[in-house]
Amino acid sequence: MNTAPDHAVSPWAYLSAQALHYLFFAVRGQQFLRRQATVGGRHWPAFGVPGPGVALTIDDGPHPQWTPRMLDLLDRHQVRATFFLIGDRVRERPELVRRIVAAGHAIGNHSMSHPQPFAALAPPRLRAEIARTQAEIEDAVGLRPALFRAPGGNWSPDVLRATAEIGLTAIDWTVNPSDWRSPGVSRIIRSLSRGRPGQVLLCHDGGGDRSQTVEALDTVLPRMLDRGLRFVIPGDGR
C-alpha cells in the first residue's frame, strides 16, 4: 500500500483527509461489532454484504508475481474474490486482468495511481483517478467495473459523490489484517479468522511481498469453508 502523501494538495485538505481517515477506523470498529454490517447507501460505502455470505477483497494489483499465486490459491479452494485494481498496474499487466476475469472473479476500481490521502484531492482529480481506471480496465478486458474502493479507505463526501457520478458502488471493509505491513502469517490468520457472515475481508496482492498473505489465506479459506461460510461479491451478494 502506498502511504506517501501527495504533495499536490493543500495543508488544510491534507489534514481534513487525515481526520476522516482516522474517523473511519472508529466506524469500521463499530461495523465489525454489529450483527449485520451496513451494506452501503448514498452517504456511506458498503462495509458488509447482505445475507450469510462473506466477501474476500484483494487490493493493489495486478502484480506479476503475487496475482498469479493468489489466483492459483483461490482456484484450489474454489473461492470467488473481488480484485480492486490500480489503473497504472492494469496498463502494465492487462493479461493478468483477463486471467482474473476468466477465473470467475469480480474486478473493482482502486484509482489510477493510489494517491494518498485520496480524500485530499480536488474533485476534478478524484473523478479523473476513477474515470481513467475505468477506461484502462475496459481496454484490458472489455468490461467496466461496478465497484470502487478508495485508496486507503479514505472516503469523504467528495469521494462518494465522484464514485456515484461515475456509476460505481463504494465498497469498504469490515476485517483488515493489515497484511500490507507483513505483520506475520499467524497474525493475518488470527485477524481473518474473526470474519463472520455479512462481513468484507481486506487483503492485498500488490504493493510488496505478499507471501505472508498467500500463506495465511491457504489456512484461513478452508477453515471458513468448513464453518459453512459462502464467499460472495460485495455490491450484489452473489
Side-chain angles (χ1 to χ4, degrees):
M1 177 184 291
N2 172 25
T3 58
D6 188 307
H7 297 291
V9 302
S10 71
W12 171 249
Y14 179 84
L15 290 174
S16 296
Q18 289 295 88
L20 287 166
H21 178 71
Y22 289 110
L23 171 65
F24 270 91
F25 273 117
V27 171
R28 292 182 190 108
Q30 293 174 341
Q31 291 289 330
F32 178 80
L33 296 173
R34 292 176 59 135
R35 183 181 297 274
Q36 174 64 59
T38 303
V39 297
R42 183 176 179 84
H43 303 294
W44 288 98
F47 296 94
V49 292
V54 63
L56 173 62
T57 61
I58 302 169
D59 288 12
D60 293 356
H63 187 280
Q65 179 177 1
W66 301 112
T67 301
R69 290 273 301 275
M70 191 70 73
L71 289 169
D72 291 344
L73 168 73
L74 296 171
D75 180 65
R76 186 160 63 250
H77 296 293
Q78 293 296 289
V79 166
R80 289 183 73 206
T82 302
F83 288 77
F84 284 94
L85 306 178
I86 295 174
D88 283 340
R89 294 172 189 170
V90 170
R91 180 183 294 168
E92 294 170 357
R93 299 286 177 174
E95 75 284 356
L96 289 179
V97 185
R98 292 190 285 271
R99 182 176 168 187
I100 291 169
V101 173
H105 303 291
I107 53 176
N109 183 322
H110 197 39
S111 83
M112 189 68 192
S113 60
H114 206 285
Q116 295 275 54
F118 193 66
L121 302 183
R125 186 171 171 201
L126 288 174
R127 287 191 292 272
E129 282 279 337
I130 301 170
R132 288 174 60 205
T133 306
Q134 291 290 95
E136 290 291 343
I137 292 173
E138 186 171 24
D139 286 347
V141 77
L143 58 85
R144 295 175 70 84
L147 309 175
F148 174 73
R149 173 173 283 158
N154 196 202
W155 304 100
S156 71
D158 282 342
V159 174
L160 291 166
R161 188 176 303 112
T163 302
E165 287 174 353
I166 295 173
L168 298 169
T169 299
I171 305 294
D172 201 78
W173 62 81
T174 332
V175 178
N176 177 11
S178 296
D179 62 311
W180 64 276
R181 296 181 184 271
S182 297
V185 173
S186 61
R187 179 172 290 188
I188 298 171
I189 290 172
R190 284 196 303 272
S191 180
L192 291 175
S193 295
R194 298 165 64 204
R196 304 192 309 274
Q199 296 188 334
V200 177
L201 314 179
L202 170 65
C203 288
H204 296 79
D205 64 338
D209 182 341
R210 297 293 166 245
S211 57
Q212 292 183 7
T213 305
V214 171
E215 185 176 346
L217 284 171
D218 204 22
T219 297
V220 169
L221 294 181
R223 288 181 182 177
M224 288 188 152
L225 292 168
D226 287 345
R227 287 164 51 192
L229 290 174
R230 181 172 61 93
F231 286 85
V232 301
I233 303 303
D236 67 8
R238 294 194 298 272

